[in-house]
Amino acid sequence: MHKSAAQDAVTPLHDLSAVDLLAGYRSKQFSPSEVLDDVLKHVAAWEPHIKALYAFDPEGARAVAKASTERWQNGAPAGSLDGVPVTIKENIATKGVPMPLGAASNTLVPATVDAPPAARLREAGAIIFSKTTMPDYGMLSSGLSSFHSLTRNPWDLSKNPGGSSSGAGAAGAAGYGPLHLGTDIGGSVRLPACWCGLVALKPSLGRVPIDPPYVGRVAGPMTRIVDDTALMMGVLSKPDRRDGMSLPAHDINWKALEKSPRKMRIGLMLDLGVGQKLEKEVRDISIKAAKAFESAGAVVTEVDGVLTREMLDGLDNFWRARMWDDLSKLAPEQRAKALPYIYKWAEAGAKLSGVDVVRGFNATMAIRAAAAKLFTDLDYVISPVSPVVNFPAEFAAPLNDPEKPFEHICYTVPWNMSENPAASINGGYDKHGFPIGVQIIGRRFDDLGVLGMAKAFEGLRAAQKPWPKPPKK
């Protein structure tokens, strides 16, 4: 147990933020090896219950921690994350580790190189001690997978952690160290962050180079505090020529998070008119967040959503066809190993016409135009992340219906297609103490501003509940 630089209470090493760990290394209060040992001990207590990890490598991590400890002893850290434990979502390539993409239908082939986000974290000295689980092909907001064990939510083991960065969300809430890396194409870092009480940033498209790049696909940090998300962004946003959609090199000062909401024009987006009905407890938390910003001097107005039924159905058609394209290349017996929910959903893609699929893809352009129009008069938008507080661990999605797979992503998916930065941050809790996230969305490329507003909200929101503890045996 060590005293955190930022807190009065004595905090276990595994619960310290990355910012506090680095301060502790600098002042020689503790070493990376001690921190990793504490994280691994904590993982051993939690992992049988939540099953968040894949390709867990404690011995490899101990060797990296030992080298980091020696560098800190010599006053020569290798980078801005030297000695900080981190997990990486299974679908971000790390050299030598196969990527099943959560699906038993995939052939396991070790990756030959680190993908850009993994390469940046390793270069910065982070200790990658494990990958984290995901559902089949990342196409579910769930901890359910045909390859991995069922991943559960540490706040309530009967509930889903969300997805597709399911293991990352569960690991973050359980305290598997401070930094976790996920990916997001429709809400996949923000939804698990919402249901696990974390901070997550879906950056502007191209801000974090990724391989393979795709429409709306980003990698983003999942942490417990905004400062740690910003710390990760300083590393992840460095350029990489492998991503032909990445943004030019920049000189963003990711530590410059002090931002006053005063006179900011904020839109409050509540009832969308599409998707699952917004639950009252979620609605109340979003309104409370808007009022907190208003009390800090922001000008808040209620705004309509940008998504229509036609757009959502178009995305569904486009993604079904894309998924079926992948599955159709597999031998029938291999294809049959995919999660039945995913198979049934994707199979409908085979019956779509070329015009149906193009019309579906064009929904991305329509969403982009609607978002641009919305932000002509606004600086930021506040909304729920998910329309529902939670759902059962065993479900593939809140409705658990492959005919209606995306009714719960209507608050998150528009910002992938429009390329706007969007953060999830815990806004409060339901009557049982389960976390409920709030989403803060900014104009394209204003990633730093979104984090600045999230940081301001950390100071405006009510006191946070203690993080969940492992069940007693």
Side-chain angles (χ1 to χ4, degrees), residues 25-26 28 67-79 82:
Y25 297 157
R26 214 169 285 120
K28 296 189 163 53
S68 175
T69 294
E70 286 166 9
R71 287 193 295 273
W72 278 106
Q73 281 167 352
N74 296 328
D82 202 346

Side-chain angles (χ1 to χ4, degrees), residues 218-438:
V218 301
M222 298 172 70
T223 69
R224 288 181 169 187
I225 61 168
V226 176
D227 283 342
D228 277 2
T229 289
L231 183 69
M232 278 184 93
M233 284 301 294
V235 170
L236 295 170
S237 60
K238 289 175 180 171
D240 193 301
R241 288 180 180 165
R242 288 176 284 175
D243 183 353
M245 294 160 84
S246 64
L247 298 175
H250 58 81
D251 56 359
I252 295 171
N253 176 8
W254 293 99
K255 290 180 181 171
L257 293 179
E258 296 309 315
K259 188 179 182 74
S260 170
R262 190 169 158 70
K263 294 188 177 175
M264 289 293 168
R265 296 166 303 168
I266 296 178
L268 174 61
M269 189 180 283
L270 292 170
D271 299 291
L272 300 180
V274 61
Q276 266 179 275
K277 188 174 185 297
L278 183 60
E279 291 181 358
K280 185 180 184 302
E281 284 180 297
V282 180
R283 195 175 203 278
D284 290 348
I285 291 286
S286 293
I287 291 170
K288 199 172 174 184
K291 285 182 174 167
F293 277 113
E294 209 166 36
S295 73
V299 180
V300 179
T301 50
E302 205 163 328
V303 295
D304 293 330
V306 296
L307 199 70
T308 64
R309 182 80 249 170
E310 189 181 7
M311 290 170 182
L312 187 64
D313 290 345
L315 287 177
D316 186 3
N317 283 343
F318 170 54
W319 279 338
R320 280 180 201 249
R322 177 175 169 249
M323 187 75 259
W324 187 249
D325 177 43
D326 288 342
L327 288 176
S328 67
K329 292 168 186 168
L330 302 176
E333 64 276 11
Q334 202 66 17
R335 197 185 309 152
K337 293 178 183 174
L339 205 64
Y341 180 103
I342 286 288
Y343 191 107
K344 190 177 179 189
W345 169 72
E347 203 174 24
K351 300 184 184 73
L352 295 168
S353 71
V355 173
D356 290 331
V357 179
V358 168
R359 198 174 282 146
F361 179 78
N362 284 344
T364 66
M365 298 295 110
I367 292 167
R368 193 181 181 119
K373 188 179 175 189
L374 178 73
F375 275 95
T376 54
D377 298 320
L378 296 172
D379 299 305
Y380 299 96
V381 168
I382 289 171
S383 83
V385 184
S386 154
V388 301
V389 174
N390 54 38
F391 64 105
E394 297 77 13
F395 278 18
L399 289 181
N400 209 30
D401 180 358
E403 296 305 312
K404 297 176 181 174
F406 299 132
E407 303 300 301
H408 62 289
I409 67 170
C410 295
Y411 290 99
T412 51
V413 74
W415 317 116
N416 293 81
M417 300 306 133
S418 66
E419 305 181 8
N420 294 57
S424 174
I425 180 167
N426 192 48
Y429 306 85
D430 78 348
K431 58 182 175 289
H432 304 293
F434 195 90
I436 297 173
V438 170

